[in-house]
């Protein structure tokens, strides 16, 4: 079988080579994204795998794929909002995604942010840059096993995060309207209010929904402990950014670790002149008690290998008429 893999990144190539050797299938790797201009590259191929955030195009793209005999689109990502599901349904195209590739990758990045902030590494680095190497009493740290961690959203990633903190001896509280028994050994279930008021580290792991948008805003920051560290590895829109900046400036909370920002799509995973960055990013970035990474919590060798393998295996399954649990409901 011949598969075209659009949007191939450098980090993916060796896993694709391994997969080709193991399965005997041929994969043509192209860096282009799938759209009206690049659709011809799929001619003569049996299946398609994509990795992109930009929409594929209007209904003509899907009609052309169907006319070429393409039966499926496999995105190597969890999100599939770049694919027009109605157009897929109309043209008999099955869509698959990779919802779970390595929860541990994101959990470890969240823990890394929390430890960085807990040990005041940003503040020490910033003072050392000014020639201040003193053991300032305001920078004394706490040890992780003395801390109470509050996990909001105990799904795949929140659960993996709870397991890590529990292993380090922390007390782990969790709030999730759907109690997942799989993670019960690692947490004490509680309500959101208790987490907001009592946790030293608050770690967000819910999807962005109308019900979760701005779930941390001025009233929640005001209710948090002064030493609270907020970690957001999930979606920027879960936090009201302006209120977060105010809470940090007023010392209502101690720090924030952010892998996602509400307006990140304009600059994360792109080269952008620093003076073109949004003002809220610049204000957060200037604070030594804030750590920002450009939505890279997922970016590990394990994640990339799993995304490639799961996606390509699903191409084979769908093209050969088998079902897969990764089919997106059209
Ligand atoms: P999941 O579906 O396994 O878990 C989400 C959990 O949130 C579920 O258990 C759900 O019941 C719970 N939830 C829903 N509404 C809630 C609410 N109002 N309060 C508390 N809990 C609520 O999802 P996941 O795979 O663990 O992903 C979690 C988040 O991480 C998502 O926002 C996802 O987009 C994000 N993510 C980020 C990265 C990254 O690189 N930074 C990578 C993958 C996923």
């Amino acid at each position: 079988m011949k598969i075209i893999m659009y949007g191939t990144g450098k980090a993916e190539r060796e896993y694709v080579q391994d997969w080709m050797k193991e399965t005997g299938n041929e994969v043509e790797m192209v860096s282009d994204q799938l759209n009206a201009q690049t659709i011809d590259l799929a001619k003569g191929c049996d299946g398609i795998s994509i990795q992109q955030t930009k929409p594929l195009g209007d209904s003509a793209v899907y009609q052309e794929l169907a006319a070429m005999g393409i039966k499926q689109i496999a995105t190597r990502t969890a999100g599939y909002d770049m694919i027009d599901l109605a157009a897929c349904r109309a043209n008999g195209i099955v869509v698959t995604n990779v919802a779970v590739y390595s929860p541990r990758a994101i959990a470890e990045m969240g823990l890394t942010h929390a430890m960085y902030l807990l040990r005041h590494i940003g503040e020490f680095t910033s003072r050392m840059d000014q020639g201040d190497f003193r053991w300032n009493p305001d920078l004394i740290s706490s040890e992780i096993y003395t801390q109470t961690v509050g996990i909001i959203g105990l799904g795949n990633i929140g659960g993996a995060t709870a397991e890590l903190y529990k292993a380090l001896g922390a007390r782990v509280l969790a709030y999730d309207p759907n109690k997942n028994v799989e993670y019960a050994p690692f947490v004490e279930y509680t309500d959101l209010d208790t987490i907001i008021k009592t946790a030293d580290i608050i770690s967000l792991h819910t999807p962005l929904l109308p019900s979760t948008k701005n779930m941390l805003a001025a009233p929640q920051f005001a209710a948090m402990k002064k030493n609270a560290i907020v970690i957001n590895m999930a979606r920027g829109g879960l936090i009201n950014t302006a209120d977060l900046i105010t809470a940090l400036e007023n010392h209502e909370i101690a720090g924030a670790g952010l892998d996602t920002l509400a307006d990140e799509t304009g600059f994360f995973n792109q080269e952008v002149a620093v003076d073109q960055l949004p003002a809220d990013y610049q204000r957060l970035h200037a604070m030594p008690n804030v750590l920002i990474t450009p939505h890279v919590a997922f970016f590990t060798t394990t994640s990339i290998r799993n995304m490639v393998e799961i996606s390509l295996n699903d191409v084979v399954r769908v093209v050969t008429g088998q079902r897969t649990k990764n089919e997106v409901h059209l």
Side-chain angles (χ1 to χ4, degrees), residues 78 99-101 106 152-158 175-178 204-209 211-212 215 233-235 238 259-260 295-299:
V100 182
Y101 40 86
I106 296 99
I152 303 177
L154 196 70
N156 289 300
I157 298 169
Y175 167 67
D176 193 315
N178 306 306
L204 289 175
H205 301 286
T206 69
L208 180 60
L209 306 166
S211 59
T212 59
M215 73 190 301
M233 298 288 119
R235 282 292 177 267
L238 299 176
D259 190 53
T260 56
H295 208 136
V296 286
F298 79 98
F299 196 50

Side-chain angles (χ1 to χ4, degrees), residues 267-311:
F267 51 103
F268 277 1
N269 202 16
Q270 294 169 48
E271 283 186 86
V272 182
V274 173
D275 60 1
Q276 298 299 307
L277 291 165
D280 57 0
Y281 171 87
Q282 302 210 24
R283 283 173 76 185
L284 286 166
H285 184 66
M287 296 184 202
N289 55 340
V290 173
L291 180 60
I292 305 175
T293 47
H295 208 136
V296 286
F298 79 98
F299 196 50
T300 66
T301 51
T302 305
S303 292
I304 300 298
R305 189 185 60 224
N306 288 343
M307 285 168 157
V308 165
E309 287 180 357
I310 293 168
S311 166

